[in-house]
Amino acid sequence: MLDTPTKGRSQPAVNQDTEFFWKGTRERRLLAQCCAKCGALRNPPGPACPHCHSLDWHTTELSGRGTLYTWTVVHAPLPMGFDDPVVVAVVELEEGLRFVSDIVGADPATLTIGEPFEVFYLDQEEGWTAPLLRRPSVGS
Ligand code: ZN
């Protein structure tokens, strides 16, 4: 069932702007920055609010639920750690942010724009946790 690697992936670059995000994935939480001045959410993380340029922010937890916005299948060159083509997708989260990751467990020929997807977490042998995308589980 699980057709995605648990080792060998490109590891995320962690800095003072992204450390909270990767700490959150280890705790199986999807976190985003929220501007302390205007309240705008932002993803990917960055040092300043793109709306009001404030440098003050806090984190907020996102639902991890959204709908498929677009996707592509990467056949070559395969990303590090992958032996098979990778479905890379953009999901529009319930909170309005877009999130990019790999789709796991779905044949790309069956994907439909707007269908529900959710974030799940897969620990990597190198000690970090990848936030990935899947169709929602029945009953969850
Ligand atoms: Zn702002």
Side-chain angles (χ1 to χ4, degrees):
M1 171 65 185
L2 192 59
D3 58 354
T4 192
T6 56
K7 67 177 180 179
R9 291 174 183 262
S10 297
Q11 293 190 44
V14 178
N15 61 38
Q16 64 184 7
D17 294 322
T18 63
E19 185 177 18
F20 77 93
F21 179 85
W22 296 109
K23 182 177 184 293
T25 65
R26 285 193 302 274
E27 299 168 350
R28 276 136 174 81
R29 301 167 66 213
L30 188 64
L31 301 176
Q33 288 174 304
C34 180
C35 177
K37 183 175 177 187
C38 76
L41 296 173
R42 63 182 189 260
N43 183 62
C49 176
H51 301 284
C52 74
H53 310 292
S54 172
L55 299 176
D56 297 324
W57 54 274
H58 59 272
T59 61
T60 188
E61 186 168 357
L62 306 175
S63 70
R65 293 185 300 271
T67 56
L68 186 59
Y69 183 80
T70 191
W71 77 93
T72 190
V73 181
V74 179
H75 293 273
L78 291 175
M80 287 175 49
F82 288 83
D83 296 325
D84 297 306
V86 183
V87 182
V88 178
V90 178
V91 165
E92 189 158 279
L93 298 169
E94 290 178 336
E95 295 84 359
L97 296 174
R98 291 181 182 160
F99 180 75
V100 178
S101 191
D102 314 341
I103 286 179
V104 176
D107 179 345
T110 68
L111 297 174
T112 304
I113 298 293
E115 76 169 292
F117 266 84
E118 68 180 10
V119 175
F120 74 102
Y121 303 92
L122 185 64
D123 292 332
Q124 301 295 295
E125 292 182 24
E126 293 87 357
W128 61 284
T129 301
L132 304 173
L133 296 165
R134 67 182 174 197
R135 287 181 166 129
S137 307
V138 174
S140 67

